């Protein structure tokens, strides 16, 4: 296996970073060829169908559709000429949308998003960005009507030419372009492409190297409001960077991590600040709504995940980990949380950290299951849409767990 890297502006990231945006899993790179069985096909991300019977995974330049029950390959979608970074089902699950491009220094160019027919594997549309000098498409997502898509593309040579583009699938034409966006958050040290409100009427993203939040009209691309960071001499970074943006389930509130170790909410319509969540001691890596938007869950490098009341900002519960937390996801019914965290290597001479995935009961605060991850690979964690199962993919094996008990339902071998 060879390791490749990607460069975004002045930032170089090793293979296998992952981001999930509005149900779209995005951003990674692997040299592994497609496999014919789920257990042997290492993948950096996965997307369940609504009934949790099907699973989409990328395999370098192809996308594969799997039977969750058997782990058998159902269909392969081939046509991209460069690494696939993003995959997502359409709202009716009759189509899938993929995004790709050359995120390394060498290799074929394919800065495109593509639409495919799920039933046949046939490619239906190519939305190409080559004329805009964009190196690759980092993320792509359907608008709620399933007729338009939003892509976020990246120019490796600088941070001011990243684009958000809304496309009409039928005509392959651009509806509007959002320029000058940022795709990397200095607040979370993670990637944060454009977020879409549940109804698709608003878009939220970062600009000015993540020092500004912009909210746009999802139909026209016009700017609705902006929030800029507010430096404070008492804290070197203070609020001058944002990240981990997310709309509440009803679309009325926008959530964001700030580099002053707080999480804040704003009115999605007016931009008025609503609440500040304080308590973490070092960088917050991710924040998300749960309990239908009535609660907020956060995870930090301080080794804690915390549950907050959205309206008051009051901390409700704390989940302590032995080491810093890098990722966190909560299931759809807010009863379970999965975290990825690390410990220093046992041998001080080793640079690699020990990585773990933990499954938590969010109500009791009990850790239900802990899996140690092989070195040099970031695991991928994804809950089924009903929240009853969780898929954990690691370098040596893939597990399907019962979210209630943590018991292994299936190990793909």
């Amino acid at each position: 296996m060879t390791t490749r890297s990607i460069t975004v502006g002045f930032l170089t990231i090793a293979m296998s970073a992952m981001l999930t945006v509005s149900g779209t899993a995005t951003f990674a790179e692997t040299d592994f060829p497609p496999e014919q069985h789920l257990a042997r096909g290492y993948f950096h991300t996965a997307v369940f169908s609504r009934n949790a019977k099907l699973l989409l995974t990328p395999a370098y330049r192809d996308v594969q559709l799997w039977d969750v029950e058997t782990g058998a390959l159902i269909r392969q979608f081939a046509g991209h000429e460069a690494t696939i970074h993003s995959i997502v089902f359409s709202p009716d699950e009759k189509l899938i949308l993929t995004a790709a491009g050359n995120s390394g220094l060498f290799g074929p160019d394919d800065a495109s998003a593509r639409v495919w027919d799920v039933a046949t594997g046939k490619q239906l549309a190519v939305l190409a960005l080559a004329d805009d000098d964009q190196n690759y498409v980092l993320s792509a997502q359907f608008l709620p009507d399933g007729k338009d898509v939003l892509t976020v593309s990246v120019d490796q040579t600088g941070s001011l030419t990243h684009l958000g583009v809304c496309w009409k699938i039928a005509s392959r034409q651009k509806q509007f372009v959002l320029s000058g966006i940022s795709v990397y958050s200095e607040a979370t040290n993670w990637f944060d492409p454009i977020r879409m409100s549940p109804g698709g009427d608003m878009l939220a993203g970062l600009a000015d190297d993540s020092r500004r939040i912009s909210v746009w009209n999802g139909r026209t691309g016009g700017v609705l409001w902006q929030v800029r960071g507010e430096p404070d001499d008492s804290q070197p970074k203070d609020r001058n960077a944002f990240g981990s943006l997310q709309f509440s389930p009803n679309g009325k509130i926008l959530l964001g991590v700030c580099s002053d170790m707080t999480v804040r909410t704003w009115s999605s319509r007016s931009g008025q600040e609503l609440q500040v969540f304080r308590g973490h001691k070092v960088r917050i890596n991710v924040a998300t709504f749960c309990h239908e938007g009535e609660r907020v869950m956060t995870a930090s490098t301080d080794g804690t995940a915390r549950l907050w009341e959205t309206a008051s900002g009051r901390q409700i519960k704390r989940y302590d980990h032995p080491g810093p937390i890098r990722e966190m996801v909560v299931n759809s019914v807010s009863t379970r949380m999965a975290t990825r965290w690390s410990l220093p290597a046992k041998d001080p001479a080793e640079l690699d950290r020990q990585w773990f995935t933990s499954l938590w009961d969010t109500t009791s605060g009990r850790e239900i299951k802990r899996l140690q991850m092989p070195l040099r690979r970031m695991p991928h964690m994804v809950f089924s849409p009903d929240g009853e199962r969780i898929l954990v993919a690691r370098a040596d094996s893939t597990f399907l767990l019962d979210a209630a008990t943590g018991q292994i339902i299936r190990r793909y071998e």
Side-chain angles (χ1 to χ4, degrees):
M1 191 269 295
T2 58
T3 299
R4 301 178 64 185
S5 63
I6 57 169
T7 303
V8 180
F10 299 103
L11 177 75
T12 300
I13 304 282
M15 179 182 75
S16 300
M18 184 281 292
L19 175 67
T20 301
V21 183
S22 301
T24 308
T26 73
F27 199 78
E29 186 163 350
T30 177
D31 290 332
F32 279 72
E35 292 284 359
Q36 299 304 306
H37 198 279
L38 184 56
R40 296 189 296 272
Y42 172 73
F43 50 89
H44 57 266
T45 192
V47 179
F48 276 106
S49 61
R50 279 193 300 272
N51 63 11
K53 293 182 178 180
L54 304 176
L55 189 75
L56 279 175
T57 68
Y60 192 26
R61 299 178 185 178
D62 298 336
V63 169
Q64 295 176 294
L65 181 68
W66 306 94
D67 184 303
V68 174
E69 182 69 24
T70 65
L73 179 65
I74 297 173
R75 190 162 294 109
Q76 194 154 301
F77 305 83
H80 278 294
E81 298 178 359
T83 304
I84 293 172
H85 305 293
S86 173
I87 51 175
V88 64
F89 280 107
S90 63
D92 61 8
E93 297 192 341
K94 293 182 179 180
L95 307 173
I96 66 169
L97 176 65
T98 58
N102 176 17
S103 58
L105 297 178
F106 305 100
D109 291 327
D110 181 16
S112 69
R114 301 182 184 223
V115 181
W116 312 79
D117 183 274
V118 171
T120 65
K122 181 181 178 181
Q123 181 176 285
L124 302 178
V126 179
L127 310 174
L129 284 158
D131 293 341
D132 296 313
D133 296 323
Q134 301 293 284
N135 297 97
Y136 63 99
V137 185
L138 174 64
S139 71
Q141 53 190 309
F142 284 97
L143 271 67
D145 63 8
K147 298 179 180 180
D148 299 335
V149 302
L150 179 71
T151 62
V152 177
S153 60
V154 174
D155 177 2
Q156 294 182 132
T157 62
S159 61
L160 299 180
T161 53
H162 306 330
L163 299 176
V165 180
C166 181
W167 302 81
K168 182 70 69 176
I169 296 176
S171 65
R172 282 75 155 171
Q173 297 297 310
K174 299 175 184 178
Q175 302 298 102
F176 59 81
V177 176
L178 309 175
S179 60
I181 66 173
S182 299
V183 298
Y184 180 76
S185 165
E186 291 192 1
T188 63
N189 286 346
W190 209 240
F191 291 86
D192 201 24
I194 294 173
R195 310 287 175 144
M196 186 183 300
S197 65
D201 57 331
M202 288 179 288
L203 306 172
L206 304 174
D208 296 340
D209 290 331
S210 74
R211 287 167 171 77
R212 173 163 53 92
I213 295 173
S214 290
V215 175
W216 301 275
N217 184 306
R219 314 300 183 194
T220 66
V223 175
L224 298 177
W225 56 267
Q226 297 179 325
V227 170
R228 295 182 181 274
E230 299 176 5
D232 184 337
D233 292 338
S234 66
Q235 298 185 52
K237 289 189 174 181
D238 192 45
R239 288 181 55 195
N240 59 5
F242 303 99
S244 196
L245 302 180
Q246 187 182 82
F247 284 98
S248 60
N250 63 11
K252 294 181 179 181
I253 302 174
L254 181 67
L255 175 74
V257 168
C258 302
S259 56
D260 63 350
M261 298 171 290
T262 67
V263 170
R264 296 170 189 255
T265 55
W266 298 267
S267 165
S268 61
R269 295 296 178 184
S270 67
Q272 177 185 358
E273 187 175 285
L274 301 176
Q275 195 53 257
V276 182
F277 306 80
R278 304 181 188 273
H280 285 292
K281 304 302 181 185
V282 292
R283 186 183 71 231
I284 301 169
N285 291 317
V286 62
T288 184
F289 283 106
C290 54
H291 295 277
E292 299 298 324
E294 295 183 1
R295 301 285 186 268
V296 168
M297 188 75 79
T298 60
S300 168
T301 306
D302 65 13
T304 69
R306 305 184 188 215
L307 184 66
W308 313 78
E309 187 176 66
T310 303
S312 68
R314 178 177 63 90
Q315 181 177 306
I316 299 171
K317 194 171 291 292
R318 171 172 162 161
Y319 311 82
D320 290 301
H321 294 62
I325 305 169
R326 174 65 267 187
E327 292 179 47
M328 173 268 294
V329 289
V330 179
N331 70 352
S332 58
V333 290
S334 305
T335 57
R336 295 293 182 265
M337 170 179 65
T339 55
R340 184 172 67 83
W341 54 276
S342 64
L343 290 174
K346 293 181 179 179
D347 184 349
E350 295 181 4
L351 296 178
D352 291 305
R353 299 181 66 83
Q354 301 177 76
W355 286 97
F356 300 86
T357 292
S358 290
L359 178 65
W360 296 81
D361 182 321
T362 57
T363 302
S364 68
R366 179 174 64 92
E367 184 181 19
I368 299 171
K369 187 83 171 181
R370 181 182 299 185
L371 296 172
Q372 184 166 1
M373 301 292 110
L375 295 177
R376 298 182 179 275
R377 291 289 177 81
M378 293 184 183
H380 179 60
M381 314 171 297
V382 57
F383 282 104
S384 60
D386 60 10
E388 295 181 358
R389 299 179 176 186
I390 181 170
L391 188 86
V392 179
R394 26 184 256 182
D396 59 345
S397 55
T398 299
F399 300 91
L400 186 66
L401 305 180
D402 184 302
T405 65
Q407 296 299 309
I408 296 174
I409 298 172
R410 191 161 293 105
R411 178 171 179 166
Y412 301 97
E413 296 179 316

